[in-house]
Amino acid sequence: MRWPRQLMSLLFVLTLLAGPPIVLLSLIGAPLQDWPTAAQAREWVQNPLTEQTLTAALTIAAWLVWLLLASTVTLRVLTRLSATLWWLRRMPLPTPLQVTAGGIAGAAVFGVSSHAIAAPPSPPTQPVAAGILDDADNLTPSDGDVLADAGISVAGGWLPRDVAEQVSTAATLVWLRRRRSYQPRPPGPPSREDTDLAPLPPTVAAVQAALADSTPPPSEPGAASAGSSPLDRSTVGGAFPGAGVGLTGLGAQDAARGLLVTSLLAGRHHPAVSVVVTRSVLAGLLGPTAETLGLRLPGLAVIDNLGQAAEFFSGNHPSRGLGGRDPAQRDMHEGTGPSGPTLIADAASATDNAETLASLAITSAAVAVLGRWPAGQTWQIDPSGHTHYQDGSGSAGPRMCVLTQVTATDLLTVIAHPDPAPPEAGTSGPSRNPALAGRSPQWEATAQDHPVRSGNDKRRLQLRVLGEPTLLLDGHPVEIRRTAALQVLVFLAAHPNGADTRQLTDAIWPGLPRRSLTGRLYTTLSDLRATIRSTAGVTIIEHSDDRYRLDPTGVTVDLWHFHHAVSDATTAVATDATTWKAVIDAYPGDLAARRTWPWLDPIREATRRHVIDAHAALASASPDARQALAWLQAGIRIDPYNADLHTRAVSALITLGDHDAADHLRKDYARRLAAAGILPTDTALTTATLRDQPAIPTR
């Protein structure tokens, strides 16, 4: 308990303050009885070291020490009192609405029967991955406890919960578009390094991991987030001023980046412009990547100066900087009005164009100014995104999304159009991708180091990661209590050459400080080893030179068998249908199906592409059109989003004379893409591509 220590400290201070004066006054008396006379002064000069003068000097020194102590204590007390009074002055009082709500709640509480039984609170949920779910008064990202689901803290910023969900959805669409665009290629090495298999930025992975296995929260009115329209007034706590707002404080730049990202995320399903920004402001927000990234962002309009703003919103401005949209999609008037685009300006330009901005804020756009704006309301924003009104009241406003330059660039990557240099279709070998160096499993080494055993394999443990990940002992599943432990098993299965501590922690807990995760990893591995040892009596995880790997002599892994089949099919002197059928037979399902671990996507897609290649190769080699169609339809069941497989299947149906089935397949594919969230314009282009493909000849 703290109060006994505080009481003892108070008594000790009082003793120091009162004790010396009492002792000095009782033994010696007052420090100065009277001022010394001239005769006493001459006597002291002639003989200074007498008993009387030494006693007086010591007495004066003792009083001076006491005065120093007393002044120090007094200064500390005055400082604490000043801070307390300042806090009392700043303490927000409840509004009449809050008082009314509190009274109603109190009446409801006291009206409940005393026999009612309160349900116990739910246990706190530990985060399964990186990024921190927190409340509006969130701590730093290094805090691992989940306090509430109002927002997510990542390294370099804070995002409202619904914005984080939009980021995760956009990341999913990135991989769906990559799946749609992939064109099956001739047999090649089992180790793939396709340029479009590059993992998404670390910030995106941290957001996805934080959302995994979490329960959607109730909406929080105090969180600034993006809605379904480009930007309505509710995107900043339902209190976006009608005459615009100025952003000041240490978090102003980060809040402007958050406004840019949330507006573009909200408007990515609309053909209208979502954000209008001057070139200089965009360069200040995004840094060196502003020019190249800005051209790839859909819904972003870049103007040279605010003098062009009125011209832009009137529809007379040239259509530049619109993220590569077609002119038919550049409707300047869509999305205007109270729910119009976001206009971000700097303070100097806002001062020179105050009347224009005030008019636009009312009629056409949500205006935000980087600096104090005399014509409108100004918010002071701290680095965590909390806002305070600068109208003299100092009251708290909504919390805004805040992002650093690197974090904002990472998040914008998932909604930007791809680089204009896609991988070359139909190449015979893999494209070198530096971003994947050291990330892709080296399956050729696996095929040499871990030879496949015959059907009488005596190893009792089997690890299945294709489909639902499961560890089997003599055919019976072994319970893995920790989700992170299951991730470790799948990660090591996908990296047969092993992984070090850094690779494991970065994959399983992306975005969190590594120094706080080493102990968590050791605990996870210790629990996993203990579970396997107590169940099977063996240890299948080896640890040497800070690298962990699965022991191939103690466990069989279906993914290793699959890649052995791929290696056999691609390295055989004469590849026939049997080898490709072996690849298909060894693939029961997607890698760790239904799991949303961010590190899985590149490896899962690379594995799926081997199977698509096998189906396409069998269809191309089949002399019968119906058999070729059957292989293509089987490939579509493996990946129902791949455009090339649908193109070939439509051509096969047309060749067989079944035009109704071909048209039905085209429409189903367009509906599937639309349901997944791919824009109708993209679907229309894909449908046109399917319709224009020539039919494959009958052999």
Side-chain angles (χ1 to χ4, degrees):
M1 299 177 65
R2 295 179 60 186
W3 69 266
R5 293 195 298 270
Q6 294 175 345
L7 179 61
M8 292 299 297
S9 299
L10 178 62
L11 292 176
F12 180 73
V13 172
L14 292 177
T15 302
L16 287 179
L17 291 178
I22 293 175
V23 173
L24 291 173
L25 290 175
S26 61
L27 296 180
I28 302 175
L32 291 177
Q33 299 290 344
D34 198 0
W35 291 101
T37 61
Q40 290 175 335
R42 286 194 299 272
E43 182 181 355
W44 178 78
V45 171
Q46 294 174 359
N47 189 13
L49 299 179
T50 63
E51 181 180 356
Q52 184 178 3
T53 56
L54 289 176
T55 302
L58 292 175
T59 302
I60 293 173
W63 279 105
L64 290 176
V65 171
W66 177 82
L67 285 174
L68 178 63
L69 177 63
S71 62
T72 302
V73 173
T74 303
L75 182 62
R76 292 293 301 274
V77 170
L78 291 177
T79 302
R80 294 292 297 273
L81 287 176
S82 176
T84 302
L85 292 175
W86 179 88
W87 178 81
L88 290 174
R89 287 196 302 269
R90 300 280 295 181
M91 184 176 65
L93 296 177
T95 64
L97 181 60
Q98 291 172 327
V99 171
T100 303
I104 295 174
V109 170
F110 285 105
V112 175
S113 172
S114 59
H115 299 287
I117 300 176
S122 302
T125 304
Q126 295 297 325
V128 297
I132 303 301
L133 301 174
D134 61 357
D135 64 359
D137 297 318
N138 180 40
L139 304 175
T140 63
S142 61
D143 252 299
D145 295 330
V146 176
L147 303 179
D149 289 336
I152 291 178
S153 289
V154 294
W158 180 86
L159 296 85
R161 172 64 182 252
D162 55 343
V163 176
E165 289 174 348
Q166 291 184 20
V167 170
S168 181
T169 301
T172 302
L173 287 177
V174 169
W175 286 105
L176 285 181
R177 291 190 180 98
R178 292 178 178 181
R179 291 171 61 179
R180 179 193 61 180
S181 303
Y182 174 69
Q183 296 186 2
R185 66 190 191 194
S191 179
R192 311 188 73 112
E193 292 184 350
D194 301 353
T195 54
D196 63 341
L197 288 180
L200 298 181
T203 304
V204 179
V207 172
Q208 290 179 294
L211 291 174
D213 301 328
S214 60
T215 304
S219 59
E220 184 201 15
S225 57
S228 59
S229 60
L231 178 71
D232 57 23
R233 301 303 194 232
S234 65
T235 59
V236 278
F240 199 89
V245 65
L247 307 177
T248 62
L250 296 177
Q253 289 278 339
D254 292 348
R257 294 186 193 95
L259 199 58
L260 173 70
V261 172
T262 55
S263 301
L264 291 176
L265 279 169
R268 61 193 171 89
H269 292 301
H270 300 266
V273 173
S274 303
V275 178
V276 181
V277 64
T278 60
R279 208 172 299 277
S280 59
V281 170
L282 186 64
L285 294 179
L286 300 184
T289 62
E291 191 69 24
T292 56
L293 183 59
L295 294 174
R296 298 169 48 210
L297 290 172
L300 176 66
V302 182
I303 58 178
D304 294 324
N305 53 69
L306 282 183
Q308 301 173 349
E311 182 182 354
F312 176 88
F313 284 101
S314 66
N316 298 323
H317 190 273
S319 56
R320 64 171 173 268
L322 302 184
R325 293 188 180 276
D326 294 332
Q329 301 172 7
R330 296 168 182 168
D331 187 354
M332 302 300 179
H333 299 286
E334 289 191 37
T336 57
S339 298
T342 305
L343 175 61
I344 305 177
D346 61 315
S349 300
T351 303
D352 297 338
N353 301 271
E355 294 183 0
T356 300
L357 289 182
S359 175
L360 291 176
I362 296 174
T363 61
S364 303
V367 179
V369 176
L370 287 170
R372 186 176 294 276
W373 189 19
Q377 197 173 98
T378 299
W379 294 347
Q380 184 176 11
I381 306 170
D382 63 20
S384 63
H386 293 95
T387 61
H388 297 276
Y389 297 115
Q390 296 298 292
D391 55 1
S393 65
S395 56
R399 187 176 187 182
M400 297 188 69
C401 175
V402 284
L403 303 170
T404 62
Q405 193 174 99
V406 174
T407 305
T409 303
D410 282 357
L411 297 182
L412 289 174
T413 301
V414 300
I415 60 174
H417 292 307
D419 284 323
E424 201 171 20
T427 55
S428 59
S431 303
R432 295 298 300 173
N433 179 10
L436 290 175
R439 293 179 180 266
S440 299
Q442 299 300 319
W443 301 114
E444 293 168 312
T446 303
Q448 298 170 4
D449 297 342
H450 311 325
V452 179
R453 300 195 179 188
S454 59
N456 59 354
D457 196 332
K458 299 301 183 183
R459 286 173 288 186
R460 303 173 60 203
L461 282 172
Q462 295 177 316
L463 179 58
R464 295 179 182 174
V465 296
L466 295 174
E468 178 65 23
T470 309
L471 180 64
L472 300 173
L473 174 63
D474 296 332
H476 301 286
V478 176
E479 181 183 2
I480 306 297
R481 292 187 294 269
R482 296 174 179 262
T483 303
L486 188 61
Q487 277 203 72
V488 168
L489 283 177
V490 179
F491 189 87
L492 294 180
H495 298 79
N497 291 330
D500 57 24
T501 301
R502 179 189 61 81
Q503 292 170 321
L504 284 170
T505 54
D506 287 350
I508 299 174
W509 299 284
L512 290 181
R514 193 175 297 124
R515 63 180 180 275
S516 64
L517 299 175
T518 304
R520 189 183 299 184
L521 176 63
Y522 290 159
T523 301
T524 300
L525 288 169
S526 177
D527 181 78
L528 177 60
R529 284 172 161 173
T531 299
I532 297 174
R533 189 183 304 111
S534 62
T535 304
V538 296
T539 300
I540 63 172
I541 299 179
E542 299 177 342
H543 184 209
S544 177
D545 297 329
D546 193 36
R547 291 190 68 82
Y548 298 90
R549 62 191 293 266
L550 292 178
D551 181 7
T553 64
V555 62
T556 59
V557 182
D558 59 351
L559 184 61
W560 297 354
H561 286 267
F562 171 80
H563 279 276
H564 276 288
V566 173
S567 180
D568 291 342
T570 56
T571 59
V573 176
T575 303
D576 56 15
T578 304
T579 58
W580 285 115
K581 289 178 182 178
V583 172
I584 296 173
D585 293 340
Y587 186 82
D590 289 342
L591 177 63
R594 297 190 301 276
R595 303 291 173 167
T596 57
W597 305 323
W599 61 266
L600 270 175
D601 290 320
I603 307 173
R604 176 186 284 160
E605 179 60 17
T607 307
R608 184 190 292 115
R609 288 183 179 183
H610 288 306
V611 188
I612 295 176
D613 291 345
H615 284 87
L618 288 170
S620 299
S622 177
D624 180 62
R626 292 191 180 277
Q627 184 61 44
L629 176 62
W631 285 119
L632 292 172
Q633 290 173 332
I636 289 174
R637 286 192 291 272
I638 297 295
D639 189 353
Y641 296 97
N642 186 265
D644 189 81
L645 291 178
H646 283 82
T647 298
R648 300 188 189 196
V650 167
S651 298
L653 288 170
I654 294 174
T655 300
L656 294 171
D658 196 345
H659 295 274
D660 290 339
D663 188 59
H664 183 71
L665 179 60
R666 280 195 295 260
K667 292 179 179 178
D668 280 351
Y669 182 54
R671 282 194 293 266
R672 183 178 297 111
L673 293 180
I678 297 178
L679 292 177
T681 52
D682 293 341
T683 304
L685 291 173
T686 303
T687 305
T689 302
L690 294 178
R691 190 179 296 112
D692 297 338
Q693 288 293 325
I696 57 177
T698 305
R699 299 190 181 185

